[in-house]
Each structure stands twice: as C-alpha cells, then as structure tokens.
Amino acid sequence: MILTTTPSVEGRVILDYLGIVFGEVVSGVDFVRDMAASFRDIFGGRSRSYEDELQQARQEALEELEQRAAALGADAVVGIDVDYEVLGSGNGMLMVTVSGTAVRLG
C-alpha cells in the first residue's frame, strides 16, 4: 500500500477514487511521563517520553488508515493529512487523526 501526502503517485494513474479514509488514535499520557516532561520544561531539553508517545500514536493512526483503505480494495492513499489535538480536562489526552483518499492505481 502506498501512503503519500501528495495528490497523486508519480508514474501511476489513478483509476478509481474509493472514498475518504480515516485513522484515529486517542492516547492518554500517564503521570510518570507528565512528571518527566515537567522537569524537562523546568530545566530545558526535549521530552523524549512525549515524542515517543506522539510517534507511536501517529504510526497506529496510519496503520488504521491503511487497513480501512485495504478493506475498500485500494492500492494507495493519496493526499494524506495528519492532525494533532490535545483533549481532556487537564489536557491529558493526545488525539492523532490521519485522513486521505483511497484510490485504485493503474
């Protein structure tokens, strides 16, 4: 399965547009990571725990998008967009949403 942010796949012709597909992941951030991140905020530096959580959530959302496209018989998903949101009363939830158009290639 080809996943791309571009509107087409170079060297290939889009034969059919099968519809918009999505992948969504909502992930909670735990207390230990919050504490580690708060120390990073105070002393400077990158929060590796949050970066890891973000990368994992993005990967899971892309895998879900790919599975949904495959269920439609797609060869590729074009025009992929990735969005991030922070949710919850204490901003303790991370939501990653990916969307794109499932297509059949020639």
Side-chain angles (χ1 to χ4, degrees):
M1 175 83 56
I2 297 170
L3 305 177
T4 181
T5 59
T6 61
S8 61
V9 177
E10 188 172 339
R12 303 288 297 271
V13 175
I14 294 176
L15 299 177
D16 292 311
Y17 290 88
L18 304 174
I20 299 170
V21 288
F22 296 89
E24 306 92 9
V25 172
V26 178
S27 178
V29 182
D30 65 31
F31 176 73
V32 174
R33 279 189 224 163
D34 284 344
M35 284 288 281
S38 66
F39 288 131
R40 294 268 192 233
D41 289 341
I42 293 168
F43 300 112
R46 295 169 62 169
S47 174
R48 190 69 188 158
S49 60
Y50 278 127
E51 290 174 359
D52 290 344
E53 184 71 28
L54 184 61
Q55 290 172 6
Q56 180 66 32
R58 184 177 55 239
Q59 184 61 39
E60 288 176 14
L62 285 167
E63 288 170 5
E64 186 173 287
L65 172 112
E66 185 175 348
Q67 290 170 2
R68 290 178 177 170
L72 296 174
D75 301 312
V77 180
V78 297
I80 292 177
D81 182 49
V82 181
D83 291 311
Y84 304 93
E85 296 290 332
V86 179
L87 307 171
S89 59
N91 292 332
M93 304 293 285
L94 169 67
M95 179 175 70
V96 179
T97 305
V98 293
S99 61
T101 304
V103 297
R104 193 169 299 124
L105 300 172

